[in-house]
Amino acid sequence: MRRDTFLKSLAALAAAGALPLSARAAANVKMMIPANPGGGWDTTGRALGKALTDAKAADTVAYDNKGGAAGALGLAQFVNGSKGDANALMVMGSVMLGGIITGKPPVNLSQATPIARLTTEYNVFVLPSNSPFKTMKDVVEQLKKDPGSVKWGGGSRGSTEHIAAAMIAQKVGADPSKINYVAFRGGGEATAAILGGNVTIGGSGYSEFAEYIAAGKMKAIAVTSAQRLPGINVPTLKEQGIDVEIGNWRGVYGAPGISAEQRKALTEMVLAALKSASWAESLKKNAWTPAVLSGDAFAKFVDDDFAALRAIMVKSGMV
């Protein structure tokens, strides 16, 4: 076959949709966000969607928010409703693993297809602006006296801020099984509770509280990273003598039942988006740390992290 004839045939096949996904752009990506609007997964999913279209890796991206049960409700809808859909993506992360461990939902993450880890974000703990406490030391002293009197507010049960709270209690000699943790369905609800003084201390990704910290409506007292976050003058837990470090990573999965070729195409599409200027801007704006990992390496990471989180949660009396 002559080269020009071959190229014309290739173009015709692409136009007809007969080529594998790796050879053409996905027309319409469906992004499942297993959380309510306003939180970290929602921000991540919409930032990735914008990056996909800006990088021309996808033509359009449609979003579906389904919050509840640490992402298990969205996971169930994704697993049951997207089988074989090569253009479907679901945002997920360490919070979903924690929720599966504590909630034991009927669906399992292993039913979906690992695509890529995107970022790690470290938690920040904050006090309401009118709190009688001023530092993490103040909170810890009260925690030692009466663990139940300190009301921790954050994401769903099994979230990284929930695990961090239990780890803090354990490290300072308080009973982690007695911590008073109030789980909220989304970042917006947790923020409202903190601003209203309805919890003693709140935890989440730094990006979710940044504007309130800057405005003086919340006081940041600790971050869960190993070193201080770049450009953010908040001490780590380790600096304050509490040996706790935990990151909240986020990634994406594809639908159940897609082929190896379709998985490869979806992975290439996501990785192309992560190289865009749009994604770089989102990393900076949200204080996310890039943590890109794809393919079988990502699948192994998820399995290993699930085992590690379960061990921490069992030790802390959470399960």
Side-chain angles (χ1 to χ4, degrees):
M1 183 183 291
R2 286 174 51 190
R3 176 177 170 78
D4 59 343
T5 305
F6 171 77
L7 291 174
K8 285 177 184 177
S9 300
L10 194 65
L13 283 168
L19 283 176
L21 281 176
S22 58
R24 58 187 173 91
N28 300 289
V29 170
K30 285 161 272 187
M31 185 85 69
M32 163 56 69
I33 301 173
N36 292 338
W41 280 349
D42 186 59
T43 305
T44 300
R46 292 174 191 275
L48 178 60
K50 185 176 186 303
L52 283 166
T53 54
D54 286 1
K56 299 188 176 5
D59 292 338
T60 63
V61 180
Y63 306 94
D64 186 6
N65 286 83
K66 181 71 175 179
L73 297 185
L75 173 63
Q77 182 173 310
F78 185 74
V79 165
N80 295 322
S82 301
K83 290 176 183 174
D85 188 341
N87 286 345
L89 283 171
M90 179 188 69
V91 181
M92 50 74 67
S94 55
V95 171
M96 184 174 282
L97 304 192
I100 290 170
I101 292 166
T102 58
K104 302 179 179 64
V107 291
N108 199 300
L109 189 58
S110 63
Q111 293 171 259
T113 306
I115 299 298
R117 186 180 68 188
L118 309 176
T119 62
T120 291
E121 183 177 23
Y122 293 98
N123 290 117
V124 61
F125 283 108
V126 298
L127 300 171
S129 59
N130 62 351
S131 172
F133 301 128
K134 303 301 176 189
T135 65
M136 181 57 80
K137 182 180 178 182
D138 295 339
V139 174
V140 164
E141 288 305 314
Q142 184 61 33
L143 189 67
K144 289 177 179 178
K145 290 177 192 172
D146 181 4
S149 68
V150 177
K151 189 182 288 187
W152 303 77
S156 52
R157 279 184 55 80
S159 64
T160 48
E161 54 267 32
H162 186 190
I163 295 169
M167 291 171 73
I168 290 168
Q170 184 185 32
K171 292 293 184 181
V172 303
D175 186 346
S177 67
K178 291 182 179 178
I179 64 168
N180 183 1
Y181 185 81
V182 183
F184 295 95
R185 285 170 62 93
E189 292 179 14
T191 296
I194 297 162
L195 293 174
N198 298 319
V199 295
T200 310
I201 180 171
S204 188
Y206 191 88
S207 63
E208 292 185 43
F209 293 159
E211 65 177 290
Y212 304 102
I213 294 169
K217 295 179 179 179
M218 295 179 183
K219 179 177 174 58
I221 57 172
V223 290
T224 62
S225 51
Q227 291 89 31
R228 292 195 184 199
L229 299 176
I232 296 171
N233 189 28
V234 180
T236 66
L237 287 166
K238 288 189 171 185
E239 276 182 65
Q240 301 177 73
I242 304 167
D243 188 19
V244 170
E245 176 189 343
I246 186 169
N248 181 15
W249 62 266
R250 299 187 181 112
V252 284
Y253 265 54
I258 61 175
S259 68
E261 180 63 28
Q262 289 170 328
R263 179 187 180 190
K264 181 174 181 288
L266 205 50
T267 303
E268 288 172 355
M269 191 170 69
V270 169
L271 295 179
L274 301 186
K275 294 174 183 174
S276 69
S278 170
W279 185 251
E281 184 180 329
S282 294
L283 292 175
K284 183 177 179 181
K285 177 183 176 183
N286 295 295
W288 293 337
T289 302
V292 181
L293 192 66
S294 62
D296 292 341
F298 174 52
K300 183 180 185 304
F301 166 81
V302 173
D303 289 343
D304 291 347
D305 197 51
F306 187 90
L309 281 176
R310 181 173 179 78
I312 290 170
M313 294 165 81
V314 168
K315 191 174 181 181
S316 299
M318 292 173 62
V319 291

